[in-house]
Amino acid sequence: MASMTSDLPYLRLGVNIDHVATIRNARGGDHPDPVRAAQLAVEAGADGITAHLREDRRHISDQDIERLKAEVERPLNLEMAMTQEMLGIALKAQPNACCLVPEKREELTTEGGLDVAKSSNRLPKFSEPLRDAGIRISLFIDPDSKQIEAAAAARADIVELHTGAYCEAVIDGEDLRARGELEKLSRAARQAGELGLEVHAGHGLTFDTVRPVAALSQVVELNIGHFLVGEAIFGGLHSTICRMRALMDNARASASGSASA
Ligand code: PXP
């Protein structure tokens, strides 16, 4: 698909390579190597690499984080829970950004956003040392005005809006619910932009769900993982990422005429 140009800010693609590690770990050993996947993703047009080091190490390992930082020439966005262990690892690894996420052992994936409003006492213990080390602070939140206000009050650099509810509504074929969830994302992106927060979005995005999110003018980065790794089985990682990139660029270009400031 030919990509078009857009007047909106460039929309970065962060590729989350966690599930390359999930497949590797199914058998132990070294194959497939998430660092090799990250390098291939960069060749295909990824602007950054995202990895979630979970407490139970179910996919990405500590060594993967060290190698991603050392061997991949793009910014690393480290997703992590607010624990002392993760803080120590982040300070040592020095990623470009840390995306703070809620984490439950029993969940299959990050199920909801961080309750920033409720974490206001705890958050600075993690965000301040990261900020002092020059690491950007991103908070993964639901598209909710209270969470956005709390993120701005917590002096976050970035909010990453959880797109899971919107994507699920699309998959369920519930158009009205999908439109409602998209409207929440749109309002949240506007509010976050007005408060000076950089706006990212992600979770559950696919070829079928990415366009309306990519068209939101305040959103400057999408983080996409599970679909890209799964679809790569059929189309190859390079061509899957190129197609996602083209869909994002085209959505951006189509929206640029009608974008709200
Ligand atoms: N952003 C955050 C904060 C996440 O936790 C995840 C999942 O690890 C993603 C983006 C990517 O979601 P998905 O794998 O569904 O594309």
Side-chain angles (χ1 to χ4, degrees):
M1 188 186 301
S3 67
M4 302 182 274
T5 54
S6 164
D7 299 334
L8 302 185
Y10 176 70
L11 180 61
R12 296 191 298 268
L13 171 61
V15 173
N16 180 320
I17 42 75
D18 291 350
H19 296 300
V20 177
T22 304
I23 299 171
R24 175 196 60 193
N25 296 356
R27 282 286 171 98
D30 299 333
H31 186 78
D33 178 12
V35 176
R36 182 175 160 206
Q39 287 162 339
L40 234 167
V42 168
E43 280 169 32
D47 301 286
I49 297 298
T50 291
H52 185 172
L53 185 66
R54 293 188 75 103
E55 188 192 6
D56 63 8
R57 308 300 197 271
R58 69 175 70 157
H59 36 58
I60 290 297
S61 70
D62 301 51
Q63 198 198 4
D64 292 330
I65 295 296
E66 284 169 30
R67 289 185 55 224
L68 286 167
K69 180 72 176 116
E71 298 174 36
V72 180
E73 290 176 357
R74 283 291 183 280
L76 174 63
N77 175 35
L78 173 63
E79 293 175 358
M80 56 175 251
M82 289 195 286
T83 67
Q84 283 302 327
E85 183 198 19
M86 289 301 149
L87 177 62
I89 291 169
L91 291 173
K92 188 160 162 257
Q94 291 283 312
N96 177 264
C98 278
C99 182
L100 302 179
V101 300
E103 192 176 300
K104 291 191 216 120
R105 260 184 185 265
E106 65 277 14
E107 69 190 358
L108 290 177
T109 181
T110 317
E111 280 167 6
L114 202 62
D115 193 339
V116 186
K118 272 204 186 139
S119 313
S120 61
N121 286 335
R122 214 169 136 238
L123 188 59
K125 293 191 194 99
F126 298 91
S127 57
E128 296 300 332
L130 292 170
R131 183 178 297 107
D132 290 347
I135 299 167
R136 303 187 78 212
I137 315 294
S138 173
L139 302 178
F140 186 49
I141 57 168
D142 291 328
D144 175 290
S145 70
K146 278 202 201 80
Q147 298 300 338
I148 292 162
E149 279 167 21
R155 299 197 301 139
D157 300 293
I158 303 161
V159 284
E160 179 162 325
L161 301 177
H162 197 316
T163 51
Y166 155 69
C167 293
E168 271 169 30
V170 174
I171 289 165
D172 294 345
E174 291 192 24
D175 293 351
L176 199 62
R177 183 155 64 93
R179 274 206 297 280
E181 293 297 340
L182 190 61
E183 183 48 36
K184 283 188 206 164
L185 288 165
S186 172
R187 251 185 277 131
R190 245 187 339 261
Q191 183 191 359
E194 282 163 11
L195 289 173
L197 293 157
E198 186 171 307
V199 188
H200 299 182
H203 211 285
L205 292 169
T206 67
F207 291 156
D208 292 332
T209 55
V210 74
R211 274 171 286 211
V213 181
L216 299 174
S217 61
Q218 298 84 2
V219 175
V220 295
E221 180 171 310
L222 299 182
N223 283 300
I224 312 181
H226 185 268
F227 175 79
L228 292 174
V229 173
E231 186 64 17
I233 293 169
F234 308 108
L237 190 59
H238 191 280
S239 93
T240 300
I241 290 173
C242 287
R243 174 140 184 244
M244 186 61 84
R245 179 75 262 168
L247 288 170
M248 287 164 56
D249 290 344
N250 279 274
R252 210 70 178 161
S254 307
S256 76
S258 55
S260 53

